[in-house]
Amino acid sequence: MPLNLTSLDFLISRCTSKKKGCLNALTNDILVDGVFSHLDVLDVLRMRRVSKLYYYLTHHAVVWKRLLRSTRLPLPPLPPTARNSLKNLTALEAERLLTRSLSLDLTWKQKRPDCLEEWQFDSFHRVAQMVLLPGSQYLVASVSDTGGSNWSIVIYVLDSRYNVVPIAKTPTKTKAYNLAARYLTVNGVPGITIAYVRRDWRRRGDGKKGIDVSDYSGEHAIDAPYPLKHECHTLHVPLKELETLCDPRFVPGSAEFIAHAKALPPPFRRVCFIRSTRTLGNIVLDELSDEPSLSIIRYPNSIMFKPLNGGPIATLTIENFGDFAQSPHRIRAIRPLPQQRQILVVREIDVPQTRNRYPVFSLEFHPIPNNATSDAVEITRPPDDFSFLYEDQYASVHITDHGLPNRFDDSIPAADLGEDDISFKPRPINVFLRTVKPDDGLVRFTFYPQRVDHWTPPSPASSVSSSPGRRTPKRSRPKHYYRYGFTHMSPVRFVESYLNTQYRILPGSYRTLLYTVPWDTITEEPNVIGFYRYHDEELFADEPEIFNPDAPPRRPFGAFAWDETIGRMCFGLEDSTKILVFDFARRPREDFYGRRIPLAVEQDHDVSSDYMDILAS
């Protein structure tokens, strides 16, 4: 007969009473397999506070893995390897997944959510740009030394036993910008794929004329005094080697760790390299037809698609069309849509003021070209569908990710997905545009995925250079798919910024952060006035709520990174190597000996500058 638990308070009173016959009389197996199977996450955490016995039993792996199998909470992504499968997860890791998901869900539903944990770490570099991988186990950063002369890419591991540790570094010669990072399986090897753009002088002698090309902004078009070349570099770091470097038995910076690291092959492997005399822009890494792919803007009106398993480039050049065919067009943002083999594009059209007060923007859907040949191809065509925006002038455009899981994913959040599993459904895609005229504010379009049944997936020919040893996807493709379009899109919503401020956007599908800066800011490291949330319940509100209205921060910040899956924001302080971290979800932690400890007593592990030099070698 199943146990009927009507109230956890009843259980606690029975267990703490002096009468014989309470739950303590039951064997540990009955408690873990019988009683605890009727409890949810909050109940298990409450039971932990009853006695030392229950404190011990509620840390058992079977308790948390059973909850993982039955949870309805959206779990944060994990690195897509068998190390993070249900079988191999530790009790702490399973508990961290569930408690972090629950904590973030409860926090974000509050009317005025605030960060639950604030901490910092030393990056040992000046950080120009950084990207949090989903789940925030790894942070990838474009950094320089304190003098700004030597530039590199550094990978940091977060939430480790030693807090935050830099574990891999590679030089980039000049500043890396438009940084992108994603978990992808390249030529059968799961890992972190990193892509970035860098500039350099086209003629080698121009670099000796006293101008540092890395001083130019990566966010704005520049008028350089000498010809430039633009390069897109794509690197792949196998997760197996990163996990080996993260082995907690070796203290980072110790002689044992250095000997252990030197015995491993170099973690960074070059995947592809693109050089152009035209400016390269926004990079998106994704899976297209189950193959890892890179999409990059080549200004003003071309998008290059490069298969990362090998094969030639396909280039889509977008025609000017309609009433604005004679006006200059420029792509501002892109987002590939793998399930429908289209790409969402936002373009700016510079029309004369006699015709329209502000530049016109267009939202466009284009087919992703399929190159089944052994040579590079270029296709020129107009969009399949489009919509024009006339009423505002926009300073920046952001398109959020669809959130589809990697089909080669071996981790627990993506495991055992059936044909109709909710995880196959992509997230809504938000297009955020920051307005500067007639008012400073925010415009949002939301494209909701619409299910299409009885779908026969496209089967483009495999790239001729693809690896013969490619892995088979771990998950089968459902018979249905989801597509985005103008028929399933929310109306435009305008949010006006506060007086004498302008918004900056850290976009997300469900959880978006906004921060305000002074209205006349033009620097890349502005003074931040306040942080705000933008969320679904706000669709018909007048303005976003502030996190801490009584004491908003007002300090200069540099690079920002936001991971909506666990509610973590990282940002670098101006003229400092320190990175501040705001967590909007709690999670269990452990010390050097594997014991759980509160955040307040956790200490940063000392990593010397010599250790950073060894990483680079």
Side-chain angles (χ1 to χ4, degrees):
M1 182 176 180
L3 183 62
N4 182 18
L5 298 181
T6 58
S7 172
L8 183 62
D9 293 334
F10 169 76
L11 282 178
I12 294 175
S13 64
R14 291 283 295 170
C15 293
T16 55
S17 68
K18 296 182 179 180
K19 298 179 181 179
K20 296 181 179 180
C22 71
L23 285 178
N24 290 353
L26 300 175
T27 65
N28 292 350
D29 288 342
I30 293 177
L31 287 172
V32 171
D33 297 331
V35 176
F36 290 177
S37 65
H38 296 269
L39 307 181
D40 61 21
V41 176
L42 284 177
D43 290 336
V44 172
L45 294 176
R46 290 171 185 145
M47 285 290 289
R48 184 171 291 175
R49 304 173 64 183
V50 172
S51 68
K52 290 183 178 179
L53 172 64
Y54 296 152
Y55 180 84
Y56 167 76
L57 293 179
T58 54
H59 284 99
H60 202 290
V62 70
V63 174
W64 294 101
K65 292 185 179 183
R66 183 169 53 223
L67 287 169
L68 276 178
R69 293 190 188 97
S70 61
T71 185
R72 295 282 183 176
L73 291 169
L75 297 176
L78 290 173
T81 64
R83 165 66 185 81
N84 296 300
S85 64
L86 183 63
K87 175 183 177 181
N88 294 324
L89 279 183
T90 66
L92 175 67
E93 291 165 337
E95 179 182 344
R96 180 177 290 165
L97 273 175
L98 285 165
T99 55
R100 185 176 254 164
S101 299
L102 177 62
S103 177
L104 179 60
D105 186 61
L106 295 174
T107 299
W108 209 259
K109 287 179 179 178
Q110 296 176 11
K111 191 169 184 179
R112 298 194 176 207
D114 206 347
C115 71
L116 303 181
E117 297 176 350
E118 179 180 350
W119 49 287
Q120 67 178 21
F121 66 94
D122 196 338
S123 67
F124 306 99
H125 298 85
R126 298 288 174 82
V127 178
Q129 192 176 1
M130 53 187 168
V131 177
L132 280 166
L133 274 296
S136 292
Q137 184 162 337
Y138 297 102
L139 173 72
V140 179
S142 168
V143 304
S144 72
D145 57 14
T146 54
S149 57
N150 297 310
W151 290 87
S152 306
I153 296 292
V154 177
I155 299 178
Y156 300 85
V157 58
L158 281 65
D159 294 338
S160 75
R161 184 171 295 181
Y162 304 99
N163 199 9
V164 178
V165 180
I167 56 171
K169 180 180 180 181
T170 186
T172 60
K173 295 185 179 179
T174 60
K175 180 180 180 180
Y177 59 97
N178 286 346
L179 185 66
R182 194 182 187 98
Y183 291 125
L184 288 176
T185 298
V186 177
N187 290 322
V189 180
I192 298 176
T193 303
I194 301 168
Y196 62 89
V197 173
R198 77 174 192 92
R199 302 187 186 103
D200 210 342
W201 303 114
R202 202 179 305 173
R203 296 187 296 262
R204 185 174 300 178
D206 292 338
K208 302 177 181 179
K209 296 180 180 179
I211 300 177
D212 187 350
V213 72
S214 297
D215 290 340
Y216 289 114
S217 167
E219 302 294 328
H220 307 93
I222 61 173
D223 184 16
Y226 313 112
L228 291 170
K229 62 181 179 181
H230 305 266
E231 299 176 351
C232 175
H233 296 259
T234 305
L235 309 172
H236 188 69
V237 184
L239 281 168
K240 182 178 180 180
E241 294 178 11
L242 289 182
E243 290 172 350
T244 303
L245 286 169
C246 296
D247 191 328
R249 294 175 298 175
F250 301 100
V251 180
S254 66
E256 294 81 3
F257 178 92
I258 293 171
H260 174 64
K262 285 183 175 181
L264 298 173
F268 292 93
R269 293 56 179 301
R270 174 177 286 192
V271 177
C272 69
F273 168 71
I274 299 173
R275 177 178 292 164
S276 173
T277 57
R278 289 159 57 179
T279 304
L280 301 176
N282 183 199
I283 301 173
V284 181
L285 298 168
D286 210 335
E287 283 184 352
L288 302 179
S289 298
D290 301 334
E291 297 284 346
S293 177
L294 176 144
S295 308
I296 184 170
I297 300 172
R298 187 180 66 185
Y299 292 114
N301 277 318
S302 296
I303 305 170
M304 306 174 75
F305 300 88
K306 170 63 178 173
L308 300 182
N309 279 346
I313 291 175
T315 302
L316 171 66
T317 298
I318 306 174
E319 292 180 350
N320 299 349
F321 63 97
D323 295 340
F324 306 106
Q326 304 305 316
S327 300
H329 290 53
R330 182 179 176 85
I331 299 175
R332 295 294 301 272
I334 59 174
R335 176 61 60 186
L337 309 173
Q339 291 191 10
Q340 64 197 71
R341 285 201 61 83
Q342 285 186 312
I343 186 167
L344 175 60
V345 179
V346 179
R347 286 202 291 172
E348 181 179 6
I349 307 172
D350 190 12
V351 299
Q353 288 194 355
T354 55
R355 187 167 184 183
N356 199 73
R357 186 178 179 185
Y358 307 116
V360 175
F361 276 65
S362 63
L363 305 178
E364 306 169 2
F365 287 90
H366 296 266
I368 296 176
N370 171 35
N371 185 5
T373 72
S374 58
D375 300 315
V377 299
E378 183 164 350
I379 299 172
T380 302
R381 55 164 296 153
D384 289 340
D385 201 1
F386 62 90
S387 179
F388 289 127
L389 310 177
Y390 299 92
E391 304 301 326
D392 301 278
Q393 182 170 340
Y394 305 107
S396 63
V397 184
H398 304 269
I399 308 178
T400 61
D401 191 13
H402 49 68
L404 286 172
N406 186 331
R407 291 194 67 225
F408 298 90
D409 196 340
D410 296 328
S411 66
I412 174 62
D416 302 323
L417 301 184
E419 184 175 287
D420 297 314
D421 196 280
I422 193 65
S423 296
F424 183 76
K425 181 178 179 180
R427 305 171 189 161
I429 287 181
N430 292 318
V431 180
F432 291 106
L433 302 103
R434 180 170 67 86
T435 66
V436 292
K437 292 179 181 178
D439 298 294
D440 291 299
L442 177 73
V443 166
R444 174 192 54 84
F445 291 85
T446 300
F447 292 88
Y448 295 94
Q450 191 170 19
R451 176 167 166 159
V452 180
D453 292 318
H454 309 296
W455 175 57
T456 301
S459 55
S462 299
S463 172
V464 295
S465 301
S466 295
S467 169
R470 290 177 298 171
R471 297 175 65 201
T472 301
K474 290 293 181 181
R475 296 178 285 116
S476 61
R477 188 192 300 274
K479 294 180 180 179
H480 62 270
Y481 82 115
Y482 293 85
R483 67 176 298 116
Y484 302 92
F486 290 112
T487 60
H488 213 56
M489 182 190 72
S490 71
V492 177
R493 175 170 184 265
F494 179 80
V495 181
E496 189 173 351
S497 62
Y498 295 98
L499 183 65
N500 295 327
T501 67
Q502 61 177 240
Y503 281 131
R504 298 294 171 87
I505 307 165
L506 300 176
S509 299
Y510 298 111
R511 303 180 182 101
T512 293
L513 275 184
L514 306 176
Y515 61 97
T516 50
V517 300
W519 67 272
D520 56 351
T521 294
I522 58 173
T523 178
E524 293 183 7
E525 298 180 341
N527 289 322
V528 174
I529 298 173
F531 289 97
Y532 305 80
R533 70 168 178 172
Y534 185 103
H535 62 106
D536 287 346
E537 295 177 359
E538 224 181 356
L539 289 176
F540 301 100
D542 295 328
E543 60 185 20
E545 298 92 352
I546 190 168
F547 281 130
N548 191 356
D550 298 325
R554 190 179 182 89
R555 57 199 307 180
F557 291 126
F560 285 83
W562 166 243
D563 180 8
E564 66 168 318
T565 63
I566 67 163
R568 170 170 289 171
M569 177 173 60
C570 298
F571 46 86
L573 291 177
E574 185 183 32
D575 297 327
S576 172
T577 62
K578 297 292 186 181
I579 303 295
L580 298 183
V581 183
F582 281 173
D583 280 329
F584 297 93
R586 295 193 188 278
R587 79 281 191 200
R589 292 184 167 243
E590 61 179 358
D591 65 4
F592 301 152
Y593 304 100
R595 300 172 304 198
R596 288 170 173 78
I597 58 173
L599 179 70
V601 299
E602 183 173 17
Q603 301 294 324
D604 287 334
H605 186 71
D606 183 24
V607 180
S608 67
S609 58
D610 294 338
Y611 164 71
M612 297 302 300
D613 294 335
I614 292 171
L615 280 182
S617 63

